[in-house]
Amino acid sequence: MKKKLKKLKTDSFWNELFSNSVWSFLGDSASSVFGLIVTILLIRYIGSDSYGVLVLGQTYSLILDVMINVQSWKGVIQFGQKALAHNEIGRLNSYVRLGTILDTITAIVCGVVALLLAPVVGSIFGWSGDLVFCAQLFSLAIFSHFSGTTIGVLRILNKFSLVALQKFIASAIKVAAIVAL
């Protein structure tokens, strides 16, 4: 038993797996804690009714984002890892280029669709003008959802600490923006 534990401690695969898991956990945990802080502060500043409108508008944009935006990072990881293992840097670059193009095009298409569709969806479901405006406002954020490929590249290169750092910084900026209000 001691030999197996010693082997696990010295095996680079298990060390990397553990390290990457810890970084992923820390990044997600910090992001969740900051998300809770943002929720508490927003409810305190704008009230629960207005916060409900805000959440519905955000949910509208998230649903469309999931439906239309492509998860290019999965393909970049799957095929890019094989290309990297075979030292085919040209193929890896083509996967990264294709992923970046897909991320950009789907972010633009999804953002436009979400902006134009919000009044139609709002009239079907009887949304208030504030809710339609909020849905359109959150739809603008979809235009910036083109980071999938970069996350895939960081994961291929075992830079999970940078992915966690990105989540932490993005969440910290949200808290700072709310506090600055």
Side-chain angles (χ1 to χ4, degrees), residues 70-78 99 103 147-153 155-156:
V70 176
Q71 299 293 319
S72 63
W73 63 272
K74 292 178 182 179
V76 169
I77 290 174
Q78 181 178 355
D103 283 344
S147 62
T149 298
T150 55
I151 290 171
V153 169
R155 288 183 178 182
I156 286 174

Side-chain angles (χ1 to χ4, degrees), residues 79-96:
F79 299 109
Q81 185 67 40
K82 291 176 186 175
L84 191 61
H86 292 99
N87 204 24
E88 296 172 333
I89 304 303
R91 261 183 54 205
L92 174 62
N93 287 338
S94 67
Y95 294 141
V96 170

Side-chain angles (χ1 to χ4, degrees), residues 1-80:
M1 181 70 167
K2 288 184 180 182
K3 286 183 180 181
K4 288 184 180 183
L5 285 174
K6 187 175 183 177
K7 185 179 178 183
L8 283 177
K9 289 180 182 178
T10 58
D11 190 341
S12 64
F13 170 78
W14 292 107
N15 284 334
E16 281 185 36
L17 180 66
F18 179 74
S19 175
N20 291 341
S21 297
V22 167
W23 279 114
S24 293
F25 174 76
L26 290 175
D28 288 342
S29 297
S31 178
S32 296
V33 168
F34 281 133
L36 178 63
I37 293 169
V38 166
T39 300
I40 291 168
L41 291 174
L42 277 173
I43 291 172
R44 188 173 182 196
Y45 291 150
I46 65 174
S48 58
D49 290 343
S50 295
Y51 183 72
V53 170
L54 191 74
V55 169
L56 287 173
Q58 181 183 30
T59 302
Y60 164 80
S61 69
L62 290 174
I63 288 170
L64 286 176
D65 190 31
V66 168
M67 289 173 57
I68 298 173
N69 232 338
V70 176
Q71 299 293 319
S72 63
W73 63 272
K74 292 178 182 179
V76 169
I77 290 174
Q78 181 178 355
F79 299 109

Side-chain angles (χ1 to χ4, degrees), residues 53 127-135:
V53 170
W127 290 355
S128 68
D130 287 343
L131 181 50
V132 170
F133 174 74
C134 194

Side-chain angles (χ1 to χ4, degrees), residues 30-31 33-35 37-38 41-42 45 164-181:
S31 178
V33 168
F34 281 133
I37 293 169
V38 166
L41 291 174
L42 277 173
Y45 291 150
L165 182 63
Q166 180 269 337
K167 288 180 180 182
F168 175 81
I169 290 172
S171 299
I173 289 171
K174 288 178 188 175
V175 170
I178 299 298
V179 169
L181 295 175

